[in-house]
Amino acid sequence: MTLRNGKEFLMIPGPTNVPDEVLRAMHRPAVDIYEGPLVETTEVCLQGLKTLFRTSGTPYIYAANGHGAWDAALTNTLSRGDKVLVLESGRFALGWGEAACISGLEMEVFPGDWRKPVDVAALEEHLRADKGHSIKAILVVQVDTASGALNDISGIRRAMDAAWHPALLMVDTIASLGCVPFEMDAWGVDIALTGSQKGLMTPPGLSFVAAGPRAIEAHKTADMRVNYFDWTFRNGPEHYQKYCGTPPEHLLFGFREALRMIEAEGLDAVWQRHRLLAEATRRAVAVWGGKGALEMNILDPASRSDSVSVIRFNDADPAPVRAFARETCGVTVGGTIGELAGKGLRIGHMGHVNAVMLLGTLSSLELGLLQSRVACDRGGVQAAIDYLNDALTPV
Ligand SMILES: *Cc1c(COP(=O)(O)O)cnc(C)c1O
């Protein structure tokens, strides 16, 4: 028996739903790469990135996924043997640090707990102890997509300043830009990077790096530069240099449309939508977990991401719930990865997501919990609706 016929929902933390408007913007013939609409599209995309990152720094566009942006940030600013400090709050900053090691950097891990964001006070102490300033860069993710943690980026900058530490602050916003507030300049971030396929509603294949003044200064002496990622080459006068070759035209047309959609909704409204849908999800999980079978992975409510909810199953098996949602209801939610592999579910509610998709997903999961005989309380969906009802009612 299946109830699956109808539009399939993809509710994983990336890649995410691509709006029909973005797909349509991509459905066009290739164009000249030396003049005409593509050159103007580049200008619009670069300006749009500055607006999204909230920076007056310099944005770069790569035909690469997020891993490519990681390499771009490192190779443009650091030198072989430099030490990077990786702030652990799940899986993704560690992956970035492992990439750094392959390029010839040295990695130190500032260990964290998968149930908590980075401990800012402990970080300050750690940086004070690095008296010789052997740490050249700090690598951190704003949202860790494996744990669901939201890190306090401005707090991390304050800890660095309090310790008088000169390292570059590099922030991965792949699972957070266009979902939750991010302020590159106001928070003192030296390099911010992101990808096209999560909050930015564009197919995978583009990534973006923004360089602030201290990163641009560091670039002058970096000895790990490689042709494809190199900022100096990309700053050159020819349009093709911005892409180090043929631009990824169709992805750019799609991204331009996604930027237009974000601007039309308004960035504040986009953040607000993510906040409401995420909190509705958390209200449902709180009810389902009334008997202790499941709970939000991140312990402190203020440190839970609005772009992805990571749900930890304590005694029950999440696999049949996820399979039921997919096979019988037509909605795919994510499994957990890394240390949490097999122990939970991840609901991606980022980018092109509305209340229908979220409430439909929560309903399918509640049905799946009942069908899988997980010892949960009923009424999670009702709690989500009650929350939204309050949030949407003017006081
Ligand atoms: C998805 C994700 C990545 C990896 O991006 P790719 O495009 O798969 O390389 C890196 N960091 C975070 C926080 C992510 O969510």
Side-chain angles (χ1 to χ4, degrees):
M1 178 67 192
T2 179
L3 306 171
R4 184 175 178 172
N5 198 336
K7 188 166 169 56
E8 300 266 322
F9 287 178
L10 181 66
M11 300 292 284
I12 63 174
T16 63
N17 298 283
V18 180
D20 290 347
E21 291 91 326
V22 171
L23 293 174
R24 278 198 297 272
M26 297 174 67
H27 192 159
R28 57 183 287 185
V31 297
D32 189 358
I33 63 172
Y34 296 102
E35 58 191 7
L38 190 65
V39 176
E40 190 231 338
T41 291
T42 295
E43 285 315 309
V44 172
C45 290
L46 291 172
Q47 194 50 52
L49 284 167
K50 290 169 83 162
T51 306
L52 277 181
F53 280 120
R54 306 259 199 167
T55 186
S56 56
T58 309
Y60 296 91
I61 302 173
Y62 295 98
N65 61 16
H67 283 64
W70 284 349
D71 279 350
L74 300 169
T75 58
N76 270 298
T77 55
L78 299 173
S79 294
R80 280 174 188 73
D82 281 355
K83 192 185 339 177
V84 298
L85 183 69
V86 169
L87 311 187
E88 185 190 10
S89 60
R91 182 66 211 126
F92 282 89
L94 291 174
W96 192 1
E98 286 155 11
C101 293
I102 291 175
S103 300
L105 294 162
E106 203 189 304
M107 154 163 83
E108 179 186 346
V109 177
F110 182 68
D113 180 323
W114 274 56
R115 306 207 66 181
K116 295 178 186 150
V118 170
D119 181 339
V120 172
L123 175 66
E124 183 181 326
E125 286 315 303
H126 188 82
L127 292 175
R128 277 187 204 284
D130 180 33
K131 294 207 178 0
H133 296 159
S134 67
I135 296 163
K136 300 301 178 202
I138 291 184
L139 313 187
V140 63
V141 298
Q142 187 182 19
V143 164
D144 194 296
T145 327
S147 66
L150 170 72
N151 284 313
D152 175 7
I153 303 300
S154 68
I156 289 169
R157 164 51 74 191
R158 283 195 301 276
M160 293 170 71
D161 289 350
W164 294 95
H165 203 290
L168 293 173
L169 176 57
M170 301 191 183
V171 183
D172 168 338
T173 67
I174 296 176
S176 53
L177 199 72
C179 307
V180 306
F182 179 76
E183 301 283 351
M184 176 163 169
D185 289 359
W187 294 350
V189 173
D190 297 306
I191 297 188
L193 60 86
T194 198
S196 55
Q197 79 275 23
K198 297 191 185 177
L200 303 185
M201 309 187 289
T202 304
L206 290 181
S207 55
F208 313 106
V209 176
R214 296 182 67 242
I216 290 168
E217 193 56 34
H219 177 67
K220 293 178 183 158
T221 54
D223 84 354
M224 288 172 52
R225 291 163 53 185
V226 290
N227 177 53
Y228 180 72
F229 291 117
D230 192 50
W231 293 343
T232 300
F233 182 77
R234 284 171 181 254
N235 290 342
E238 302 294 335
H239 178 253
Y240 86 92
Q241 288 181 273
K242 297 217 171 347
Y243 302 96
C244 193
T246 305
E249 300 190 331
H250 295 83
L251 286 169
L252 294 167
F253 292 135
F255 180 55
R256 178 182 184 162
E257 176 61 18
L259 286 171
R260 192 201 58 74
M261 290 175 70
I262 290 170
E263 195 188 328
E265 185 176 352
L267 198 50
D268 287 312
V270 170
W271 293 339
Q272 174 83 340
R273 171 168 54 84
H274 282 82
R275 204 170 60 69
L276 262 57
L277 296 180
E279 185 57 29
T281 305
R282 299 188 278 253
R283 297 294 174 104
V285 173
V287 171
W288 296 335
K291 295 187 178 67
L294 56 129
E295 61 183 315
M296 294 296 295
N297 178 56
I298 295 298
L299 295 165
D300 172 17
S303 302
R304 293 173 182 159
S305 159
D306 287 344
S307 53
V308 54
S309 288
V310 179
I311 305 166
R312 166 187 282 260
F313 280 52
N314 293 322
D315 302 318
D317 181 5
V321 181
R322 183 164 175 251
F324 177 87
R326 188 179 59 235
E327 303 306 330
T328 306
C329 301
V331 53
T332 300
V333 299
T336 37
I337 59 174
E339 197 172 283
L340 282 173
K343 292 184 187 148
L345 297 176
R346 294 186 299 158
I347 305 174
H349 31 70
M350 61 175 98
H352 193 53
V353 179
N354 62 25
V356 172
M357 297 156 80
L358 195 270
L359 290 172
T361 301
L362 296 179
S363 300
S364 300
L365 288 175
E366 186 158 335
L367 188 54
L369 289 165
L370 297 173
Q371 288 281 311
S372 308
R373 306 201 190 290
V374 173
C376 67
D377 284 342
R378 295 169 191 239
V381 173
Q382 186 62 52
I385 292 172
D386 289 345
Y387 165 74
L388 290 176
N389 185 40
D390 286 346
L392 294 171
T393 305
V395 277

